[in-house]
Structures are given as structure tokens and as C-alpha cells.
Amino acid sequence: MKLAFSTLGVPGLPVPDVLALASEHGYHGVELRAHPEEPVRPGLSPAERADVAALFRGSGIEPLCVAGYARVAAPGDDAAVLGELRGLLRLAHDLGAPFVRVFPGGEGPREEADAIAARRLGTAAEDASALGVRILLETHDSHRTGADAIRVLGPVGHRQVGALWDVMHTWLGGEQPAQTYAALAPQLGYVQVKDIASVEDTTPLPLGAGVLPLTECVEVLSRGGWDGWLCWEYEKRWYEQAAPLPGLLAAGRDHLVRLLGEAA
């Protein structure tokens, strides 16, 4: 499996500095938080996008994903959500990233939220296919578990729409790693790893220092023959009191490599 980290852990850090951290600490890729306050965002000009893509090519680090904030199950008009999603797809294409991350964001009756998300993802799938980018629905908020996500992804049934497994949210949803993998395996894009102290305290911790079942997750993935990406999503942007990520990257990589070795 390849290792990446998210720029959510280094808010606002310029792309050259992000790539230098990845190279220095042995990560193969970077998940790019696509938000107006970040260096990489949908509003970048064509020249700025070309510059970012060139930086990645020159570094040998891969742009794993454009992590957007489109909420595909949210109530309201489809056009605004689809417009936001198409902008993310174009950004990913221009940067050479294979994935775009979206959130569910559903409200109201479960069946209605499922249907809204499936409809929008099915529509956007054709754009994704034309651009060579895959849309990944993250296990998050209204669709926290693999069982929740597959209720949307099953009806979509398109190769360019898949799942992003956030191990914290499936754990908070009461789902065991084996259950999540069984639900998502055919459509799994990649896996976000992280660690926290408890259900009540989700402040990010160094990998291995908290309660999340990272060992079990890696074992399940290895037993299944899955060889995709593990991406460390350290939520520093939302927790100012958390330790800075750069000083944790080396130990985090070592922890993941150790888990992979033990699971082999």
C-alpha cells in the first residue's frame, strides 16, 4: 500500500513546502484539501493549476485526491451541488489527481437523502468518466458507516463513483473494520487513517496513540488483497491545540509501515 497525508494537517502551507515534507518523511502522495483558504482550490487559474501540477511532477509525489466539500445528499437544488462537483472534477483533472472527495451531508428522511445522493452522483459520473477522475463518497456525517454509503453507491453502479473509508467515522458509527470492508471493498478508492482519544474527545493524536482500530483495519485490508492508499488525515485545521503535524510525520509513517509488515 502507498502512504499519503492530507493538507488538512498543515493548513495553508504552500505546495512546495507540503511536497518537501512528503519527500523528507517518505510519503508517496498528498491529499489536497480544496477550500478557498488553501493554496489549492477550485478558483485557481489555468496557469496556477499548471504550476501546481508541475511541482508535483518534479517532486515525484502524487496528488492523491482533491478533497472537496460538496454535499451530495443535502437538500436543495441539484444544479448548485453538481456545479460545485464539476468544478472539483476539473481541478483534479488539471492537477493529475485520480480522485475527488465528496461528503454526504444528508438531512431529513434517510430514503430521501439516499435518493438525492444517488441521483447527483449518477449524473456527475459521466463528467467524471470524461475527465478520467473518480468521485469518492466519504463515510461521514449522515452516512457514517460502510453500510450507509453502500445504500447510495449500490444504486449508482458506476465505475467512476466509489467510496472513501474514514476509519474514525465508521468506528464512531459502531461498525467493525471487517464489516466496513465487506460493504465497500468492490468500490473502495482509498482509506483515511487517523487516531483519537475517545468518542468524546476527537482531537487528533499521533497514529497508534489513541483508540481507533488501525491494526484491525490494516489486517482486514491485507487479508483482502487490497493494495491501495492509506492517507493520514490529521485534523489540525479544526483543533488548534493539536501538536503540529510535521513533527509527527516520520513516526506516523513508521507506525503504518510496521502495521503493514505485521499484517503481511
Side-chain angles (χ1 to χ4, degrees), residues 4-69:
F5 66 86
S6 170
T7 57
L8 187 63
V10 284
L13 192 67
V15 172
D17 297 335
V18 171
L19 296 175
L21 284 175
S23 296
E24 178 183 355
H25 297 295
Y27 288 80
H28 309 99
V30 173
E31 178 190 86
L32 294 161
R33 178 179 181 246
H35 188 277
E37 67 187 19
E38 295 291 345
V40 175
R41 56 193 183 277
L44 291 182
S45 69
E48 289 171 324
R49 296 172 185 224
D51 288 344
V52 173
L55 287 171
F56 271 93
R57 288 194 301 271
S59 70
I61 303 299
E62 298 181 50
L64 171 60
C65 179
V66 168
Y69 288 87

Side-chain angles (χ1 to χ4, degrees), residues 72-87:
V72 296
D77 183 62
D78 285 0
V81 177
L82 289 171
E84 182 179 1
L85 182 46
R86 286 165 176 150

Side-chain angles (χ1 to χ4, degrees), residues 102-121:
V102 298
F103 284 146
E107 300 175 19
R110 188 179 82 173
E111 295 79 7
E112 183 178 341
D114 291 349
I116 291 170
R119 181 178 70 243
R120 290 170 176 166
L121 289 170

Side-chain angles (χ1 to χ4, degrees), residues 12 55 62 69-70 72 76 91 138 140 176 185 192 216 262:
L55 287 171
E62 298 181 50
Y69 288 87
V72 296
L91 178 60
E138 183 172 327
H140 196 274
Q176 297 299 312
Q192 285 179 343
E216 292 86 347
E262 292 170 354

Side-chain angles (χ1 to χ4, degrees), residues 1 165 167 176-182 188 191 193 212-227 230 255-264:
M1 301 180 203
W165 177 7
V167 302
Q176 297 299 312
Q179 295 173 311
T180 306
Y181 183 71
L188 184 58
V191 179
V193 296
L212 293 185
L214 300 181
T215 299
E216 292 86 347
C217 289
V218 172
E219 287 177 348
V220 164
L221 292 167
S222 295
R223 285 200 305 270
W226 190 79
D227 61 354
L230 300 179
H255 184 72
L256 293 175
V257 169
R258 183 164 57 252
L259 293 183
L260 289 167
E262 292 170 354

